[in-house]
Amino acid sequence: MNDAASRLPRAGGRDRPVAVVLRPLGLGDLLTGVPAIRAVRAAVPGHRLVLATTAALAPLAGLVDAVDKVLPARELEPLDWPGPPPELAVDLHGKGPASHVVVAGLRPARLLTFASPGYPGPTWYPDEHEVRRWCRLVSEGLGVDADPDALDLAVPPVPPAVRGAALVHPGAAFPGRRWPPERFAAVARELAAAGHDVRVTGGPAERELACAVAEAAGLGEDAVLAGRTSTLELAATVAAARVVVCGDTGVAHLATAYRRPSVVLFGPVSPALWGPPPRPHHVVLWHGDGTGDPWGTELDPALARITVGEVTAALEQVLAPGHDQLT
């Protein structure tokens, strides 16, 4: 039996029916899908819920209380499904046949997808917030309430790299969503001058960027956490952070999941589609019209219009007395 099979329930006997949920995308995608995953659990409380997501995100997926098992998956590729057809399969990946065929290939007794040729289901609305979109799919498709604010994630069972730090996260998946590093450095410098323990986070591929930001901010090498934390350690560090400042990227969603004060800089994409919920300790900055390219290779003009002064003012707001009482 392969590794995937060893982690999944067997058919027959006293085993429960299985529901498979497909979400093999990025960190932000996983976290915005958590309320919908919880709604699937509410709809089929007696099922084993298997979340098909990327191997890199499997540790974080294990922190979602609704998930029983994690199945490593690759975007738009057939699942390595070792068992008999599940009772239910839900496509939380996309709106069209390319992802629908992945879940349909499991031959489930019930299939839930957005409507597309050959697949009945709820209608996809392009101007809907990502969290609410998937909540609505599950709510309409399975007849259950879905709470879009159910975004919280369990704190990882690993110690954070540091507690109470001001985390500056300059990276993003595409250049169009990366605020200039010299501006992140200026913000980091202001935070350090105000007495905060400033750390620069990022993945292994972002270490050079993080080091450049730290050096320009006058911070020591120990301030750079990029490339030094696992996925769970990064999540634990965000959960223990004093504040997070970042672009439209996965770390912003971690700050939401752990209800940490955050300032999030949006450019090509509207926060009405991907922004945090309306809580006083999350501040969004945006000067766009939603027509930018989120996969752009050049800095988005709307993101470029955000100034260092705006970011530091927003940080003063979320760090003001009273914002410690987070809800």
Side-chain angles (χ1 to χ4, degrees):
M1 181 182 297
N2 61 30
D3 289 342
S6 69
R7 294 193 293 270
L8 293 172
R10 290 179 177 274
R14 296 159 59 186
D15 283 344
R16 293 180 286 166
V18 175
V20 177
V21 176
L22 181 70
R23 192 73 171 164
L25 292 160
L27 173 57
D29 303 279
L30 172 64
L31 298 179
T32 53
V34 166
I37 295 168
R38 289 193 166 116
V40 173
R41 159 60 68 217
V44 288
H47 286 47
R48 291 270 187 114
L49 196 151
V50 178
L51 176 61
T53 192
T54 65
L57 292 178
L60 280 181
L63 302 177
V64 182
D65 53 7
V67 174
D68 294 310
K69 299 288 180 181
V70 177
L71 177 68
R74 296 169 296 277
E75 186 174 358
L76 300 180
E77 293 188 18
L79 295 174
D80 182 16
W81 182 252
E87 194 280 325
L88 171 68
V90 181
D91 181 4
L92 293 189
H93 182 286
K95 63 179 179 179
S99 59
H100 295 355
V101 297
V102 176
V103 285
L106 301 178
R107 296 178 291 112
R110 290 189 291 163
L111 177 64
L112 177 58
T113 70
F114 275 112
S116 69
Y119 295 91
T123 301
W124 174 281
Y125 300 124
D127 58 351
E128 192 168 21
H129 192 283
E130 185 73 2
V131 174
R132 294 185 176 277
R133 166 181 292 129
W134 300 111
C135 283
R136 182 174 58 83
L137 172 70
V138 177
S139 181
E140 292 184 11
L142 299 180
V144 64
D145 290 337
D147 179 6
D149 202 45
L151 293 158
D152 294 3
L153 202 64
V155 175
V158 298
V162 62
R163 293 185 181 275
L167 303 182
V168 174
H169 189 90
F174 293 90
R177 285 183 268 151
R178 292 180 201 146
W179 201 47
E182 63 271 16
R183 298 191 204 178
F184 271 114
V187 170
R189 193 162 50 245
E190 291 282 347
L191 284 166
H196 293 281
D197 179 6
V198 181
R199 306 299 176 104
V200 186
T201 56
E206 297 168 330
R207 182 163 177 82
E208 183 177 350
L209 170 63
C211 287
V213 169
E215 182 178 3
L219 303 176
E221 186 178 346
D222 62 344
V224 179
L225 298 182
R228 293 169 47 196
T229 57
S230 68
T231 301
L232 285 182
E233 288 168 340
L234 174 61
T237 302
V238 172
R242 179 67 186 89
V243 69
V244 176
V245 56
C246 62
D248 172 21
T249 189
V251 167
H253 298 284
L254 279 175
T256 294
Y258 292 117
R259 298 177 179 256
R260 303 314 306 151
S262 63
V263 176
V264 186
L265 286 56
F266 276 78
V269 177
S270 168
L273 302 179
W274 281 90
R279 301 171 183 163
H281 45 281
H282 302 312
V283 173
V284 169
L285 300 176
W286 187 55
H287 299 308
D289 58 9
T291 61
D293 180 6
W295 303 283
T297 57
E298 301 291 337
L299 174 64
D300 184 80
L303 185 58
R305 285 194 285 271
I306 298 175
T307 67
V308 171
E310 286 180 276
V311 176
T312 56
L315 284 165
E316 289 177 4
Q317 177 183 333
V318 298
L319 291 168
H323 280 82
D324 291 328
Q325 305 301 315
L326 306 183
T327 58

